[in-house]
Amino acid sequence: MWTALTGKKGRDFHIRILLPVDLQLKNARIECSWRLKRILHGYRHILKQRLHSCPDLVSFMVELKTVLEIALKNTQDLHIPRPPEYYSCLVRDLEILGWNRVAYVDTGLTTVKLKAEDSCGRQHLITLKLNAKYPTEPPDCLVDFPVPFAVSWMPQNSLIDIYNQFLAALESLKEFWDALDEIDGKTWVLEPENPTRSATTRRIAIGNNVSVNIEVDPRHPNMLPECYFLGADHEVNPLRTKLNNNMHLWDPEISLLQNLRELLEIDFPSRAVLEKSDFAKDCGICYAYRLDGSTPDHVCDDPRCGQPFHHACLYEWLQGLPTSRQSFNVIFGECPYCNKPLTLKSSMKKL
């Protein structure tokens, strides 16, 4: 889909948003001119995060326009001569903060990265984009957080005030990161492959071509997360039943991982005992495990077959068969391996 974004000064930028066959916004690809790509270069991780979080394309376009306005503002600020007071104030603030907390300063003294360690020893960065009116106006703050980070700022404030708010925000997310770090360290996480600190989902391997996708609320990480299972029906239906029957046993006083073990009455494959290849099988159509970052997420329901496929591969395969038929967003066809009837929706739904 081609569309145009118009900045505050009426400047138009044309972009193309390519949705995959499963229509999942998080897997969309953005194409644009080299000029717009250069303007948005420092905001790629924010755009990726918003693609994962926005409920629909319209919401994403609104947020994209906001990000573009900020990027244009900062790009224009790079060409605005800073008064001598700007540099003296910034250097003074950095000295008060302590150079040991500074990870990076660009040559134009317009971008500063500060480093911090939370109470569990995790390393974090905050990137500050300063405009020519600093300190009258606060810098734009970029962080790898699963929740918005809003800075409280007065003209008399300095970088140390932002830094202290950054530290407080880190501690408020401690339990969320503790829960996901335990999952990352003690289970086989299939997706995301290299999770950022802002990632709230994990797809955890349970067995051969069976997994559970959880989405953790960063503000309430000790509560039951959203869960949906991926795999053949004869494998996931018992797990879904156990989760529904044992939901009342959820205990916020124990870890998220331990709760999942007890509710599902299983032990997740251990990283210390098994390799990922023991339960991760390539797609039966493209013969690859990862396709555009995604792993196989649909499995043939026949226990004698159990062949996994990428949703996009299987959908394209079924569309190309003359024997397949489609009704609204559902396509009916046969497994490429065992010919068992298959039903596939055009987009994955949480179960």
Side-chain angles (χ1 to χ4, degrees):
M1 180 193 75
W2 282 100
T3 187
L5 286 176
T6 304
K8 286 183 178 179
K9 296 185 178 180
R11 186 176 178 185
D12 287 336
F13 295 93
H14 292 273
I15 66 170
R16 187 183 185 190
I17 299 178
L18 300 174
L19 291 173
V21 293
D22 62 5
L23 302 181
Q24 290 289 300
L25 187 60
K26 66 180 181 180
N27 296 323
R29 199 166 78 248
I30 300 175
E31 294 181 355
C32 60
S33 67
W34 65 269
R35 193 181 303 277
L36 180 57
K37 186 178 294 186
R38 186 174 65 179
I39 293 172
L40 295 173
H41 177 74
Y43 300 82
R44 287 179 298 178
H45 66 288
I46 294 180
L47 294 178
K48 187 174 182 179
Q49 178 183 345
R50 302 323 302 157
L51 275 173
H52 277 72
S53 303
C54 287
D56 52 52
L57 189 57
V58 174
S59 301
F60 173 71
M61 293 301 298
V62 172
E63 298 205 21
L64 175 57
K65 184 176 181 180
T66 301
V67 172
L68 178 58
E69 297 288 2
I70 294 173
L72 283 171
K73 177 174 175 289
N74 290 334
T75 302
Q76 293 161 1
D77 285 342
L78 293 176
H79 305 290
I80 299 176
R82 263 65 168 171
E85 295 79 12
Y86 168 88
Y87 297 103
S88 60
C89 180
L90 178 57
V91 172
R92 182 201 66 207
D93 286 354
L94 289 171
E95 289 178 344
I96 293 174
L97 177 66
W99 289 100
N100 61 314
R101 295 171 173 171
V102 179
Y104 168 83
V105 181
D106 72 337
T107 55
L109 295 182
T110 59
T111 300
V112 177
K113 293 184 179 182
L114 306 178
K115 57 185 177 181
E117 185 178 286
D118 63 27
S119 58
C120 291
R122 289 179 285 251
Q123 300 294 320
H124 303 270
L125 287 175
I126 178 171
T127 300
L128 309 178
K129 301 279 188 179
L130 298 101
N131 61 51
K133 295 182 180 180
Y134 177 84
T136 304
E137 293 183 2
D140 292 318
C141 302
L142 308 177
V143 294
D144 189 13
F145 282 3
V147 294
F149 177 64
V151 173
S152 176
W153 183 265
M154 298 288 287
Q156 64 268 25
N157 287 147
S158 66
L159 295 185
I160 198 166
D161 296 294
I162 292 179
Y163 191 79
N164 288 334
Q165 293 177 54
F166 180 54
L167 292 177
L170 292 180
E171 290 310 301
S172 71
L173 291 166
K174 174 185 177 300
E175 291 184 349
F176 168 73
W177 285 322
D178 285 347
L180 293 184
D181 280 355
E182 183 183 20
I183 289 173
D184 292 339
K186 295 183 178 180
T187 71
W188 278 110
V189 174
L190 304 179
E191 293 179 289
E193 189 174 12
N194 297 298
T196 62
R197 288 297 175 192
S198 60
T200 58
T201 62
R202 295 293 190 274
R203 182 179 168 195
I204 310 170
I206 295 177
N208 190 19
N209 300 318
V210 184
S211 59
V212 59
N213 196 92
I214 65 169
E215 183 164 357
V216 183
D217 184 344
R219 293 184 174 89
H220 305 285
N222 293 326
M223 303 305 290
L224 176 65
E226 289 189 48
C227 302
Y228 71 94
F229 298 95
L230 297 116
D233 287 345
H234 68 277
E235 296 276 7
V236 302
N237 285 341
L239 293 169
R240 192 181 296 113
T241 299
K242 289 178 183 178
L243 178 64
N244 292 333
N245 291 344
N246 296 334
M247 200 175 293
H248 65 284
L249 299 176
W250 186 272
D251 183 359
E253 298 302 317
I254 63 177
S255 75
L256 187 152
L257 181 58
Q258 185 59 35
N259 268 305
L260 289 175
R261 288 193 187 110
E262 295 186 5
L263 265 64
L264 299 177
E265 301 174 13
I266 61 170
D267 284 323
F268 291 97
S270 170
R271 299 178 68 92
V273 178
L274 298 173
E275 297 292 332
K276 185 178 288 189
S277 57
D278 292 328
F279 46 78
K281 196 173 178 183
D282 293 343
C283 170
I285 295 174
C286 72
Y287 303 112
Y289 182 63
R290 292 197 178 274
L291 177 68
D292 295 331
S294 298
T295 60
D297 50 11
H298 193 93
V299 179
C300 175
D301 285 335
D302 191 330
R304 296 168 297 179
C305 178
Q307 176 64 48
F309 307 97
H310 293 115
H311 183 275
C313 293
L314 186 57
Y315 189 79
E316 185 175 350
W317 173 279
L318 293 176
Q319 278 193 316
L321 293 179
T323 55
S324 297
R325 61 184 181 86
Q326 188 160 354
S327 175
F328 297 102
N329 67 328
V330 180
I331 190 167
F332 302 88
E334 296 178 345
C335 172
Y337 278 66
C338 69
N339 296 325
K340 178 181 173 64
L342 284 177
T343 301
L344 192 69
K345 294 184 179 179
S346 60
S347 61
M348 296 296 293
K349 302 293 183 182
K350 293 184 179 182
L351 305 177

